[in-house]
Amino acid sequence: MSENVVRLFKDQPTTTSNDAASAPAALAAVPAASVIPLWVRSARAIQTAATHEHTRAAGRVAVRHTMYAVGGTRIVARRTWEGRTASRYERMQRAAEAAGNLELAGEWEERGQRFRTERHRRRMDLLTAPVDAARGVLVGTGMGIGSLVALGVVLAIATKDVGDVVTPLMAVVNFISLLIIIVQAVWGPLITIGPFLALLGLWAVGRNQQAAPQWALPATVRNGEGEPITPSIVVKALRDLGVAPLRNAIKEMGDAGAAMLGPIRIAGCGVEVDVTLPSGVSTIEVQNRRRKLAENLARHEHEVFITIPVAARTVRLWIADSGALDEPIGPSPLTTDDTMTADYTKGRAPWGQDLRGDAAVISLYQRHLLITGLSNQGKTVALRSLALWLALDRSVQFLMGDLKGVGDWAMFDGLATTLIQGPTDEHVIQVTEMVEGAVQEMNRRIQAPPGTVFPALVVLVDEAQVAFMCPLKDADKRPYGGSKANSRYFMAVRKIHNQGRAVNVLMWQGTQDPTDQNLPKLVREGAHTRASLALGTESQARMALGDKAVDGGAAPNLLRPGLDQGTLVVASSGIDIPAGQASITVRTHYINDDDAEAITDRAKALRDGVTTLHVIESGEDRDPLADIAAVVGDAARVLTQDILKRLAALNEDAYGGWSFIDLKRVLDGTGAEPYKSDGRMVIGRDRLLRALANRPDDGSASASE
């Protein structure tokens, strides 16, 4: 910019006295906009330089190394103070008293008293030390000179030279003179570099102890194994948790917080430690900071679990070895032991492993079951593995409804008494009728003579949320779905929950993404065993497991969708849960379809043969409209209920499971729809004949569609 101004003046003609007044005008002709950007660019350049990563890195380096020296000075001063006073003994005494160990506190008090006594004795000795030192110097000097003179006499006698008497003495004098010369030569540089050497030593102490702010420390590169968990790391992680009362309490403790920790125990693929929190710190404050605690421990959030044990004001930390939870567990015993059988009453199903690496086995005896979670997290496999084990007890009967219908339960064909597979509303109707049939069986068992023992009947519905959300209503306007008092599926499940356990009629359900609409409160609270895979929110976790389990530390909403597939948080009396905890985390075994097929083959071999009822199945193609006209016959009109009975008699396989909904579905749009006559639903013969005559040649529908 200055070059532009100079060039502007160079380009002007030589001024005279008359042109002198034109010079300021020429200078003013320089645009202001051409000068202002110079300052703007300068400010921006300064700002860029100040905020550049290199500048910030240099600043962090300067602060870090400065604080190393300051921190090292503080550490050395504290060590010196503790070495010369009884503060160390007092600190350990206070820590023992805080831990309630009065015997150890008395021992530290005795040690401190001995230290004070010895220190007093040393200080009293200092009073006579100068006299003793002077006496020692005089005696030593006299003896030394005498020895040197005696040595000189011996040397003079040997050399027959009287001058050698003082030779040893002069040698010592010359040596002392040489030492003085050396000290004079070294003293100046030593005085100059001595402070720098002392500062370097303090810096080394501070660097070794990382005595600098966390933000100024260099980024550490961790390997996949993570850092080992030690008491100091746990205490430091708790101190930096952001809970002011906890931080202040740790600072005031004589042992720097070590008294809070119980023994660190190896627990499976990690370690476990109980932490007794100081007064004024709530366990919920620690639970709510799980992520920060995990990061302070150099772990990911999913590698740290916080539970509440029996002891008051205590949290139990389970800290996984870094990356251990991402490793698969071993195969299920169901796939490795071909001789395994099940016992419904006394046995326990092998479900997987807990976080400690111990086998997680669960009792299914007289317990209703609910498993929920987000989609594609392993719900069906976890539920199926329990059914596969229970199928190895030949006395157990199954009624199964798979409202997904992709073949996940197809291997139970020939094993289950009923197997309905499909996602449509018609399948929901049939599943509802299946559950209602189980209610009838339950009532029959209840009315049996006291003491009658019945085999287990497991009513299993996978993807049960489809049933709860079904919008259809029956002929009496009763909804199949929903959670009202007249909702058929809901009420059937509730009846089994209320009374089924006593007569071994059990309800097992698998649902996904629970809400109050697709998993009503009364249904989820009726299950004795509640398990959840990864969920999205804490409110869903409370729906899945209940408030008690979540308040006790259960957190399926913190599991990682897609990464923690098959990992369940279980709340049940049928599985061993550590004392004081309300839930346990289980990593379930994965049993693929081929292995499941092999297990069901073994289960079928234990039975004499089971004929599975498929309400909807492929079979002979029929013309429903023509069959309806045939069963109506010559009557002008026939009640719909009578038509359903006649159709079932005509072909049980095709029409045995039909309801009014199926009948209405076939007749809708044909002009022969059911209508009311004298307050009852009927179908007219004339309308049916017109519908048959007017329909296209390719318009017939099969009953198997």
Side-chain angles (χ1 to χ4, degrees), residues 94-96 98-99 235 253 255-262 276:
R94 289 195 301 271
V235 172
M253 291 181 183
D255 60 347
M260 296 192 308
L261 305 184
T276 302

Side-chain angles (χ1 to χ4, degrees), residues 344 351 362-371 386 442 457 459 493-509 519 521-532 543-546 548-549 569-577 582-584:
Y344 163 70
W351 211 5
I362 184 169
S363 172
L364 305 175
Y365 178 65
Q366 293 188 344
R367 289 179 176 87
H368 302 305
L369 176 67
L370 172 65
I371 298 180
L386 296 180
M442 176 190 72
L457 174 61
V459 185
V493 172
R494 286 291 300 140
K495 289 175 181 177
I496 295 177
H497 278 175
N498 290 337
Q499 296 179 301
R501 183 187 67 84
V503 290
N504 288 328
V505 177
L506 306 179
M507 190 74 211
W508 290 11
Q509 295 182 97
L519 187 59
K521 180 179 180 181
L522 292 177
V523 170
R524 59 182 185 251
E525 291 185 351
H528 303 101
T529 296
R530 300 168 70 172
S532 175
M543 292 181 190
L545 300 176
K548 180 181 179 181
V569 181
V570 184
S572 172
S573 60
I575 192 170
D576 292 333
I577 297 178
S583 64
I584 187 172

Side-chain angles (χ1 to χ4, degrees), residues 475 477 625 628 632 636-644 647 658-685 687-688 691:
K477 302 300 182 181
L625 190 59
I628 293 171
V632 168
R637 53 184 176 271
V638 179
L639 294 174
T640 54
Q641 293 298 327
D642 292 339
I643 291 177
L644 290 174
L647 287 172
W658 268 37
S659 65
F660 177 80
I661 299 299
D662 300 289
L663 191 61
K664 186 175 182 299
R665 173 176 55 82
V666 172
L667 296 177
D668 278 346
T670 64
E673 295 84 356
Y675 62 96
K676 278 191 176 182
S677 176
D678 296 331
R680 304 183 70 180
M681 299 299 294
V682 298
I683 295 176
R685 181 193 61 184
R687 296 184 182 187
L688 279 172

Side-chain angles (χ1 to χ4, degrees), residues 564-602:
D564 291 325
Q565 287 182 327
T567 300
L568 286 165
V569 181
V570 184
S572 172
S573 60
I575 192 170
D576 292 333
I577 297 178
Q581 296 181 205
S583 64
I584 187 172
T585 301
V586 176
R587 303 173 67 197
T588 59
H589 295 295
Y590 175 73
I591 302 177
N592 59 38
D593 291 346
D594 293 337
D595 290 336
E597 189 78 34
I599 296 170
T600 53
D601 288 342
R602 287 159 42 199

